[in-house]
Amino acid sequence: MSKLQSMQSAYMGRFAPSPTGPLHFGSLLTAVASYCDAKSQQGTWLVRIEDTDIPRIYPDSETHILHCLDAFEFEPDAEIIFQKDRLEIYEEVIYQLQQLNLVYACQCTRKMLGSNAIYAGTCRNLNLAFEHQAIRVRVNDQLICFEDRLQGQHCSNLAHDLGDFVLKRRDGIINYQLAVVVDDYLQGMTHVVRGADLLDNTERQIWLGQLLGYPRLQYMHLPLAMNAQGQKLSKQNLAQALDPAQAPQLLQQAIRALHQLPVDLDRPARMLQQAVAQWDVSRIPRATQLEQIYQ
Ligand code: GLU
């Protein structure tokens, strides 16, 4: 099988943390929901470490992620992959897009772009050489919509909302949008379960997938766990790192936060088994935020 060929199964799901900080309770919600959703449909569940943004990698967070997966007894169905080992693949896809004239080099600096959130297409027709420049993908003036399993219909016109967006930065870093689309395809993903903070990224990913001829995925964006200040839990907001020693208690709390039927306190693998057996998506709040406060 060529390395750009996809694997396939009826349900393929994943948990794809970025090691930009230790896992927190919000990450646990995604891990639990992606796992239970896949397993309750006899699916395959994989883990992928999204570590292309090297300057943002937080020391030891990769170790913490692996330690947590172990302590919470999450067993991926195949070996964990690390995106930093796959840079050649992403470069190859950029080359494919270049052959189709779907990407171009952009020399605009952050300073030149200013605070404008929508890229005006300044370098679109300049035909700049690709070396040492950012690479942007062309977008069209067209509405892209998808039906999220929890959030309902979500749409964006990328030309109006964003403009041509970056796939590779000037410093050579491959952007998350490209890596996620390529790996979801190559790993044969059918379903994406992740936090609602990524809802607005989805149209970009659908667009890229469409350009590359990849099949569409099913999306489910989970309500986010918020802190007392009304911010989503994140490293920036000083969310507490998951304590592997508290795995059963935290699992119980995560299952409750997803409004699932309670599970008995036991060893994590058995708790997960019970959560899978009881998994009911219709119980999860159809909102982008959970009401209860976490830390
Ligand atoms: N790596 C992303 C994050 O940690 C998640 C990517 C995804 O699930 O699509 O926020």
Side-chain angles (χ1 to χ4, degrees):
M1 189 164 86
S2 129
K3 67 180 170 179
L4 290 188
Q5 220 170 340
S6 153
M7 308 197 267
Q8 266 312 330
S9 130
Y11 185 121
M12 279 282 226
R14 85 304 196 270
F15 173 53
S18 302
T20 48
L23 291 188
H24 48 73
F25 188 69
S27 336
L28 182 61
L29 292 184
T30 307
V32 168
S34 62
Y35 180 86
C36 290
D37 200 55
K39 292 295 161 183
S40 64
Q41 297 183 56
Q42 290 73 47
T44 301
W45 183 79
L46 305 180
V47 173
R48 181 172 72 224
I49 308 289
E50 303 208 310
D51 50 2
T52 53
D53 195 350
I54 293 161
R56 287 190 58 226
I57 291 181
Y58 183 79
D60 297 335
S61 57
E62 212 153 274
T63 317
H64 181 253
I65 292 172
L66 300 178
H67 188 187
C68 283
L69 288 170
D70 236 33
F72 286 83
E73 299 180 350
F74 282 112
E75 265 202 46
D77 293 307
E79 219 171 295
I80 298 180
I81 69 167
F82 295 80
Q83 289 188 324
K84 68 170 179 310
D85 301 334
R86 300 166 63 79
L87 300 180
E88 264 174 38
I89 296 179
Y90 313 131
E91 294 287 352
E92 208 171 313
V93 173
I94 291 181
Y95 183 72
Q96 273 180 10
L97 291 168
Q98 188 184 354
Q99 297 307 301
L100 298 167
N101 193 28
L102 295 169
V103 290
Y104 61 88
C106 171
Q107 63 185 356
C108 298
T109 57
R110 215 170 272 182
K111 204 158 147 202
M112 287 159 74
L113 297 173
S115 56
N116 204 344
I118 303 159
Y119 179 68
T122 319
C123 300
R124 217 177 199 219
N125 300 313
L126 296 185
N127 257 318
L128 299 168
F130 272 42
E131 287 74 37
H132 312 297
Q133 306 286 14
I135 309 299
R136 287 184 186 266
V137 62
R138 298 174 194 276
V139 299
N140 277 358
D141 182 358
Q142 110 190 25
L143 201 63
I144 298 175
C145 294
F146 68 99
E147 193 64 32
D148 190 88
R149 290 166 62 201
L150 285 178
Q151 310 295 340
Q153 194 182 58
H154 199 268
C155 300
S156 170
N157 179 322
L158 293 175
H160 293 178
D161 298 342
L162 186 76
D164 300 339
F165 58 95
V166 172
L167 299 186
K168 182 179 169 183
R169 295 191 330 218
R170 180 195 275 275
D171 60 6
I173 301 272
I174 298 288
N175 190 287
Y176 152 70
Q177 310 293 348
L178 177 69
V180 81
V181 168
V182 170
D183 282 340
D184 279 343
Y185 169 68
L186 291 177
Q187 294 192 287
M189 292 304 159
T190 56
H191 291 70
V192 169
V193 176
R194 60 186 178 191
D197 50 337
L198 293 168
L199 199 50
D200 287 341
N201 290 243
T202 309
E203 288 88 355
R204 261 173 274 180
Q205 296 169 11
I206 290 174
W207 173 245
L208 263 179
Q210 226 167 277
L211 294 181
L212 289 160
Y214 299 167
R216 271 247 196 159
L217 304 171
Q218 300 249 18
Y219 293 94
M220 175 155 85
H221 287 87
L222 303 165
L224 300 173
M226 311 297 283
N227 66 18
Q229 288 73 46
Q231 304 157 320
K232 70 164 182 150
L233 299 191
S234 70
K235 189 195 85 182
Q236 289 75 19
N237 300 326
L238 305 176
Q240 231 177 60
L242 287 179
D243 177 2
Q246 295 286 317
Q249 292 75 11
L250 287 164
L251 257 183
Q252 209 170 36
Q253 217 184 327
I255 290 161
R256 197 177 316 131
L258 292 164
H259 290 215
Q260 299 299 297
L261 292 176
V263 297
D264 307 322
L265 211 54
D266 201 332
R267 58 171 301 177
R270 294 175 72 114
M271 296 176 74
L272 283 171
Q273 215 174 21
Q274 195 185 348
V276 167
Q278 296 174 169
W279 183 245
D280 181 358
V281 169
S282 71
R283 299 181 68 98
I284 306 176
R286 292 172 178 269
T288 52
Q289 300 182 359
L290 291 172
E291 274 174 21
Q292 204 189 315
I293 288 164
Y294 297 91
Q295 44 173 315

